[in-house]
Amino acid sequence: MKTFDIVYASELDKTLRETGGILIDIRDRKTFRKEHWPGAVNKPYDEMEQQGLRLPKNRKLILYCEHGGGSMQLARNLGKEGYQVATVVGGYEAMKKVQENYFKNGQNV
């Protein structure tokens, strides 16, 4: 039984538009403050484990971490609890590469 979806970094913006999802950065607060994806909210993995979950079940949750492993584990757990959830394959690093390629290839024109 599939408990979560995967989203490729190259499809993130489209997926957010189509689902009305919430983009959640599960990295620690210091890392989030340093840099994060526009529109993302910060819900650190450690804090969610300690304080319990305060996330809406009526919207798609799209999680990312630095490289994708942590968000995949959390997505699996949330999916088992009935959340509509997805994880970004490759995490923030993959998201940054997609953005860099977009501008390098002149697709922003």
Side-chain angles (χ1 to χ4, degrees):
M1 179 175 109
K2 186 172 111 174
T3 57
F4 66 95
D5 296 322
I6 60 169
V7 175
Y8 292 98
S10 60
E11 300 171 355
L12 177 60
D13 289 338
K14 178 182 174 197
T15 302
L16 284 167
R17 277 193 312 274
E18 289 177 353
T19 65
I22 302 170
L23 184 60
I24 301 175
D25 184 326
I26 67 166
R27 301 173 304 160
D28 64 75
R29 294 196 183 282
K30 182 179 178 183
T31 304
F32 179 81
R33 280 192 300 271
K34 183 178 173 189
E35 67 177 347
H36 59 272
W37 201 255
V41 295
N42 187 219
K43 299 275 187 187
Y45 189 102
D46 294 341
E47 290 180 24
M48 282 196 282
E49 283 190 328
Q50 294 168 2
Q51 300 170 5
L53 303 171
R54 295 188 191 109
L55 301 169
K57 284 193 173 182
N58 63 339
R59 289 184 66 192
K60 181 92 163 195
L61 308 175
I62 302 172
L63 312 175
Y64 74 89
C65 60
E66 196 65 32
H67 300 287
S71 59
M72 184 173 288
Q73 181 61 45
L74 183 58
R76 184 176 292 117
N77 294 341
L78 290 172
K80 289 177 184 176
E81 294 181 30
Y83 287 88
Q84 302 172 54
V85 66
T87 182
V88 179
V89 175
Y92 189 67
E93 288 300 313
M95 294 158 68
K96 285 195 310 187
K97 285 181 183 164
V98 166
Q99 186 180 47
E100 289 166 7
N101 287 338
Y102 179 83
F103 287 103
K104 183 173 26 174
N105 294 329
Q107 295 176 359
N108 60 327
V109 181

